[in-house]
Amino acid sequence: MKKILFSLLGRALLLVSLTALASCNDDKIGDVSLIYGRWEATSFSGYEKEEGEEPYEWNYGPSEMAGDYVIFNTDGTYVEGSSGTTGDSGTWRIQGNRIYVTSDGETIGATIRTLSSTELVIEMRYSEPGYEYFERSSYRKAD
C-alpha cells in the first residue's frame, strides 16, 4: 500500500513539475509593442561545439558591436544593418516568449529573455547528436 501511495504521489509531483515546465515555455511577453523601433547591439556571445572538436566561443562587446542595429517595425517587418548599411530584412512575429524572423523564405526562432523599454536580450539554441550551438544577443533601445 505504501509503495502504491508513494508511486501515485510521485506521479502527481511529476505531473505538476511537467506542467510547470511546460508553462515556462509558454511565457508571454507582457507588452509586445515595446519591441517596436530601433535597437542597437551591445553584445553578442555564444559557442558552437562539435563532437570531438574544441568548442568555438565568441564574446563581442559594445566596441565590436558599434553601429550594428535592428529595427522592428509596427507592420511586422524588420531591417538589420551595420554602420549605416542595410543588411538583412524580412518579417517578424512574437508567439509566447519566442520571436520568429523570416527572410528569404527561411524562418529562425529565438527566445526573448528580456524585453523592456530600454533592453532586449534574445537567445538562440540548437542541438542535435554531436553538435550544439548557442548565441545571446543584447540590444539597447535607440529611439
Side-chain angles (χ1 to χ4, degrees), residues 23 39 87 132 140:
S23 67
W39 295 87
E132 186 177 346
R140 70 175 172 79

Side-chain angles (χ1 to χ4, degrees), residues 1-59:
M1 181 72 165
K2 257 188 178 177
K3 270 189 171 178
I4 293 172
L5 179 60
F6 283 110
S7 178
L8 291 175
L9 183 58
R11 287 183 187 165
L13 287 173
L14 178 62
L15 182 59
V16 168
S17 298
L18 289 176
T19 303
L21 285 174
S23 67
C24 289
N25 289 335
D26 292 334
D27 286 346
K28 291 195 168 130
I29 301 303
D31 184 359
V32 173
S33 69
L34 291 173
I35 202 165
Y36 302 153
R38 182 184 177 104
W39 295 87
E40 295 177 350
T42 57
S43 68
F44 180 63
S45 60
Y47 62 85
E48 185 174 32
K49 292 194 296 192
E50 291 191 52
E51 191 172 311
E53 294 186 23
E54 289 293 314
Y56 172 71
E57 298 179 355
W58 60 89
N59 188 11

Side-chain angles (χ1 to χ4, degrees), residues 88-105:
D88 205 12
S89 64
T91 61
W92 66 273
R93 66 183 165 84
I94 291 178
Q95 186 174 358
N97 68 340
R98 308 257 312 152
I99 184 166
Y100 298 90
V101 295
T102 302
S103 180
D104 296 326

